[in-house]
Amino acid sequence: MDLARLSTDALASFAVFADHLNFTRAAEELHLSQPALHVKVQKLAETLGRPLYRREGRRLTLTLEGEAVARFARELDARVGSFLAELRGTVPDRPVVLAAGEGAYLYLLGDVVRDATTRLRLINGDHTQMLTAVRTGRADLGVGVLDVLPDDLGTVPLASYPQTLVLPDGHALASRSTLTLADLAGTPLVVPPPQRPHRIALERALRAAGVEWSVAVEAGGWPVMLHFVALGVGLAVVNGCVRPPAGLIQREIIDLPPVPYHAVHLPGRDGDPRVAGLLSAIQIRLSAQ
């Protein structure tokens, strides 16, 4: 492989493609035609001799090599920016990038984002998108639920919450201080779509406990799940950090495992004082909850 053939323009274009994993949206951001961007990415892959992405159904995902190339492209861009700032005698103005899911932003990180003393850029995505953003260098720090710790990233435990049943305050189970899975027998449940990790884990636990239940409605995201509970459609199992609105209460389900939230970062990325400061602010805020 001739490293001299690696174009910084092609690397920068691939980093944008890695952000979107969609040629149309990436081409629009780069002000290129979709075929032109496709050719750039294909030539980069040919130069490196490795596939950089693959198609999984209707989605595109990065290969391990693609993640490494995107990470390299962003690190190169950051180094060039730091070098130019040093020449000009200025301070690099790159924001700290935080990636997390909707639930984390709603129920854990809101105060941290509001009170941040450094400039932040936020990425909102699901568990897989959060990890990809960190692995490719797009995000400095990610926050999410990790049942299995990735061996290629630095991980920091943040907090652990019980799993709870959310129900109307006048429901028959509301008089109980805690519940078990057996108490959910015959209950219509508001659940996430089938491939979501929370749905998969809940179905597995209910099956293992021999509990018969039914799907009241499938809903993506805690707020809409709580909305359906408030409408009387069914009950919902949510993480204990989720705060139900007036008229709803939550009860811990003692035979479901607690939900562990972690921060993740590339090895060494926490050496950046701004990233370390953001991580510390998150730890302090969550320890006070």
Side-chain angles (χ1 to χ4, degrees):
M1 180 183 68
D2 182 5
L3 292 178
R5 293 173 59 201
L6 278 180
S7 160
T8 54
D9 175 64
L11 288 168
S13 296
F14 181 75
V16 174
F17 164 73
D19 286 351
H20 297 283
L21 289 175
N22 180 289
F23 278 104
T24 301
R25 291 198 294 269
E28 288 174 353
E29 181 173 330
L30 291 164
H31 303 292
L32 295 173
S33 69
Q34 181 178 334
L37 176 59
H38 195 277
V39 169
K40 279 192 177 189
V41 172
Q42 185 62 34
K43 286 185 176 180
L44 181 60
E46 291 172 355
T47 300
L48 295 168
R50 296 288 188 277
L52 302 181
Y53 69 91
R54 59 178 173 267
R55 184 174 295 278
E56 295 181 352
R58 299 176 63 183
R59 296 179 57 190
L60 301 181
T61 62
L62 297 180
T63 61
L64 291 177
E65 294 84 358
E67 290 179 352
V69 171
R71 183 166 61 246
F72 173 76
R74 294 191 179 98
E75 289 171 349
L76 179 62
D77 181 67
R79 291 183 64 183
V80 169
S82 296
F83 173 71
L84 293 176
E86 183 178 347
L87 283 181
R88 297 165 181 156
T90 59
V91 177
D93 192 32
R94 189 181 74 86
V96 176
V97 183
L98 174 64
E102 177 186 87
Y105 280 126
L106 283 172
Y107 305 111
L108 299 179
L109 302 174
D111 291 342
V112 174
V113 171
R114 183 192 60 215
D115 299 336
T117 57
T118 190
R119 190 162 69 92
L120 295 181
R121 186 163 69 85
L122 306 177
I123 297 173
N124 180 26
D126 63 23
H127 173 269
T128 300
Q129 291 167 329
M130 180 274 288
L131 289 176
T132 298
V134 173
R135 286 189 171 113
T136 60
R138 185 184 177 203
D140 298 293
L141 198 65
V143 172
V145 175
L146 294 180
D147 296 316
V148 178
L149 301 184
D151 55 13
D152 60 329
L153 299 175
T155 59
V156 180
L158 295 175
S160 183
Y161 299 94
Q163 296 191 60
T164 65
L165 183 71
V166 174
L167 61 165
D169 54 15
H171 193 277
L173 293 175
S175 61
R176 306 273 295 278
S177 58
T178 59
L179 302 171
T180 66
L181 287 169
D183 295 317
L184 276 59
T187 300
L189 294 177
V190 180
V191 292
Q195 301 307 314
R196 297 286 182 86
H198 177 74
R199 168 76 174 271
I200 293 170
L202 178 60
E203 284 190 337
R204 186 182 300 124
L206 289 165
R207 190 182 309 116
V211 174
E212 296 290 335
W213 62 286
S214 61
V215 175
V217 64
E218 293 177 349
W222 301 131
V224 70
M225 289 176 68
L226 297 180
H227 181 64
F228 281 126
V229 177
L231 292 176
V233 173
L235 310 183
V237 177
V238 305
N239 298 348
C241 59
V242 175
R243 295 182 291 275
L248 301 181
I249 60 173
Q250 56 194 148
R251 294 290 183 261
E252 180 181 351
I253 303 173
I254 60 175
D255 48 353
L256 281 177
V259 179
Y261 281 83
H262 287 76
V264 295
H265 57 79
L266 286 171
R269 188 62 64 91
D270 57 338
D272 182 328
R274 299 177 309 147
V275 177
L278 176 61
L279 177 56
S280 177
I282 293 171
Q283 290 174 302
I284 290 170
R285 183 69 66 176
L286 296 191
S287 67
Q289 287 186 352

